Each structure stands twice: as structure tokens, then as C-alpha cells.
Amino acid sequence: MAATGQGPLAGVRVVELAGIGPGPFAAMLLADLGADVVRIDRPGGPGLRMDPDRDITNRNKRSVLLDLKSPAGVAAVLDLVERADVLVEGNRPGVTERLGVGPRECLERNPALVYARMTGWGQDGPLAGTAGHDIGYIAVTGALSMIGTSAEEPPAVPANLLGDYAGGSLYLVVGVLAALHHARATGAGQVVDAAIVDGTAHLTAMIHGMMAAGGWQDRRGANLLDGGAPFYGSYRTADGGYMAVGALERKFYAEFIRLLGIEDQVPAREDFARWDELRAAVAARFATRTRAEWTEVFAGSDACVAPVLSLREAPGHPHLAARATFVEHAGLTQPAPAPRFSATPTAVRRPPARPGAHAAEVAADWGVPDLPAAGPAAPDGTAGPAPVTGTAAPAGPTAPADPRTETETER
């Protein structure tokens, strides 16, 4: 069965070399936008063990199981590349070249191909070949130093959203779309080098401008947008919940302190010397009611106050529910595709792709007859290997003792 053609990228073919972190998320975004994404899973699965039926980053994709350490596996990948518009890979620099599916080989087979590379440090530079994770990438770019309540406390860790996904995946997708536009206009493909350090640094552009203009101090917890201002931060409620306050503009701030019930009890917000007093008054007032009670107080106002919801609570928020920001598909509650399009709407069309489950479909749709079928499921739920035209090596013996040392973006 052919992939459903929904979204503005319907008709775009993408080959994804399986990995973890920002590469799969970027490929999911392309798939959400309607691209036909074929994920090349390897025998034994990626380093991050997860039930494949619940790996949402593999939704809207199809999977083929290939051993890239066998000549037949490499040949099958190149056959797919010949018919693709985009290849996405997230290995350390030099890995795909050693496997025989690097930019040179792929562009020789398909000169219009967009070869998209996702790494932490980039394809060159002193650290290009070393291991890393999100926290290290955002650390050296200065982004991590901004996050936290004060210079006396360690920086807060924003999960892996800032580096992996904002500085990594989203910049890779921007690069893919730009290069795809160029390829369709000129017939010439190219390599997109998306590094998490580059993207994360780019995200700090406004802050660098503010710092140059004297409007930002180079220490956390001392600025307008980093929790330094008492009217931009989070406050604990009587039941242990939190309310987020973002009353930056004066008219919104006036509404905030009015609804909070302290407008006649606090110093002027322009009196920086008394911000600690203002913060204490706001905190004391929030501590008198529950999160639900304060949510009701600020409902429908322009005070820019919202309850801090957990991941499980978020889908039930009235606004998000009304917009269907979260959807349920194949028994999984998950974020809906974003952004939205009036003429080419997107949707969750397929559940997470089980490794190797779509070889027959892809072989027929892409005109590559020698793709293998999935083998029996492994104990962890990943598909076992199956021979590629009789020559693929079995899982286990051909894998390096620690495959993470060379193939995963962030190890």
C-alpha cells in the first residue's frame, strides 16, 4: 500500500538512516508534513532501547531492515537513494563514508539529492570526532548559562529540548527545505551540515543583541526574561503546584497585580532596588490559594498567567483540547503535527514504524525489488534481521562491541 499523500511535502521521498535523538525527530517532522520517509533500521536496533510501538518519533514513517556492513545492504540503500529526494543521517563524521553511503557515493547515484547530516559538534572542528550530548552542546554555546534562578545556583537543565530539538532537529529541517527548493530549481543537490552547536548558538541571537546594547547581563537570574524580574517567573501555590507569570508589558502587569490582589501593597515595578520585596509579596500571595483556584482567577484575562501543567495534564487543558493540539492514534496520546496548513492539512497517518515491517510496501512503491522482509521480533520488541538477497550477516557478530562509539550522534 502506498503512503498516504497528506501535507505540503506529499511526494517528497526521504531515506533516514536510523539513529537516536535529533535525527529521528527531524525525520518525523518531515513525515508529519507529508513526506514518504523510509527509515533504514539496522540489525540489533539503535543504542536507545525503547518499545518500537511507543516510539512516537517514528510515526508516519515506514521501515526497512538493512545491514549496512554488508555489500548487499549498502547496495539496497543506494538503490533507495537513487529514487529519493533527501537522505537524513545522524552518525559521527566519517561513518557513512566508511560504510559506503557517504555524500560522494549518494550524490553520484542521485545528483539532485539533499544529503542532510545531523551532529552535535558538526562535520569539522577540534571536537567533531568526540562524544557529546545535548547538555554539553548547549553548555559551550552559552545557552545553558542563562537558564536558572541565580548565578549562585547551578544552571537548570531543560531536558534535551533546547539542543537536540530546537538547535538540532529544527535547523536540520530548515536546511533540508531550503536545499530541496534549490535542488528543484537547479537540479543540483548538496550536503546540509546541521550541528547542534551552530543551531543553539543561532537561537541566542536576540540575547547577544541585547547584551551588546547593554540590556542583558551575562549572568542568569538577573535579566528580564531569565527569572530576574519578579513579574516573569513561576510561583508555588498552596497545593504545591505552580503558576507561570509573564506580565512583561505595563498594562498586563497592572492586570496581574490587580487580579492577584496586591496592587495597593507592592512597590512600583520600576523600583529595581525593591524587586526582592515585590517578588516576596507575589510569592506570598500565590501561596494562599491552590493552582486550580488561581487558574480560575486569571482565566480569560490579559494578565499573562498560566498554570504549570505536567506532561500528562497538558492534553486536558481546555485550549489545547479545543485546538486538538494533542491527538490519540494507535492507543498513544501524542502531540499533533505542527504547524497547520489550510490547503494541505497534516495528520498522524501511521503508528510508529516497527523495524523492517514495510519492506514489501517500500519495494513496490519505490521500485526496489530486493529489499528484505522483517525477521522475527527480538526480545526487546525490535525486528530481527533478515537476509538481503541472501548475503546479509546476522545481528550480533557483525556489530562492534559498542556500536555507540561510531554510529550515534550523541555518544
Side-chain angles (χ1 to χ4, degrees), residues 267-292:
R269 60 178 261 164
E270 292 80 10
D271 190 349
F272 302 139
R274 300 181 67 185
W275 268 12
D276 287 344
E277 181 183 340
L278 175 57
R279 190 189 315 276
V282 171
R285 182 60 176 156
F286 269 120
T288 64
R289 297 186 186 181
T290 66
R291 189 187 69 178

Side-chain angles (χ1 to χ4, degrees), residues 52 54 66 101 212 230 307 363:
R54 291 173 170 79
L66 295 174
V101 291

Side-chain angles (χ1 to χ4, degrees), residues 51-294:
D51 181 349
D53 290 332
R54 291 173 170 79
D55 189 352
I56 292 172
T57 62
N58 283 330
R59 73 185 185 191
N60 287 339
K61 303 177 184 179
R62 298 189 286 180
S63 172
V64 172
L65 196 68
L66 295 174
D67 181 3
L68 294 186
K69 296 196 173 184
S70 75
V74 171
V77 170
L78 292 176
D79 284 343
L80 290 168
V81 162
E82 185 175 337
R83 297 155 173 81
D85 300 290
V86 180
L87 180 141
V88 173
E89 66 99 355
N91 302 300
R92 291 203 202 186
V95 170
T96 57
E97 285 86 347
R98 291 196 296 274
L99 291 172
V101 291
R104 180 178 61 80
E105 294 87 354
C106 289
L107 286 165
E108 282 179 357
R109 289 289 291 269
N110 182 354
L113 181 75
V114 174
Y115 195 104
R117 318 194 79 167
M118 181 77 260
T119 60
W121 302 114
Q123 295 298 312
D124 53 33
L127 296 177
T130 64
H133 268 298
D134 178 292
I135 193 169
Y137 307 138
I138 67 174
V140 301
T141 60
L144 182 61
S145 73
M146 298 188 294
I147 306 172
T149 56
S150 71
E152 288 70 41
E153 297 291 330
V157 180
N160 67 331
L161 301 177
L162 177 54
D164 277 357
Y165 300 132
S169 303
L170 298 186
Y171 278 86
L172 182 71
V173 170
V174 169
V176 164
L177 297 179
L180 187 60
H181 173 76
H182 175 266
R184 291 192 163 180
T186 66
Q190 61 182 302
V191 176
V192 177
D193 174 7
I196 295 173
V197 289
D198 296 346
T200 305
H202 194 261
L203 289 170
T204 66
M206 185 191 77
I207 304 299
H208 275 279
M210 293 175 67
M211 190 164 59
W216 189 276
Q217 299 182 58
D218 194 15
R219 59 188 182 92
R220 62 185 166 277
N223 300 284
L224 192 63
L225 300 174
D226 64 358
F231 41 86
Y232 199 88
S234 299
Y235 291 91
R236 189 178 178 89
T237 57
D239 59 343
Y242 286 86
M243 298 296 290
V245 178
L248 290 174
E249 293 82 356
R250 283 181 174 79
K251 63 180 180 179
F252 301 152
Y253 174 78
E255 180 80 345
F256 164 60
I257 60 171
R258 182 185 68 80
L259 291 174
L260 196 62
I262 60 173
E263 58 184 330
D264 298 324
Q265 306 168 27
V266 294
R269 60 178 261 164
E270 292 80 10
D271 190 349
F272 302 139
R274 300 181 67 185
W275 268 12
D276 287 344
E277 181 183 340
L278 175 57
R279 190 189 315 276
V282 171
R285 182 60 176 156
F286 269 120
T288 64
R289 297 186 186 181
T290 66
R291 189 187 69 178
E293 289 172 330
W294 284 119

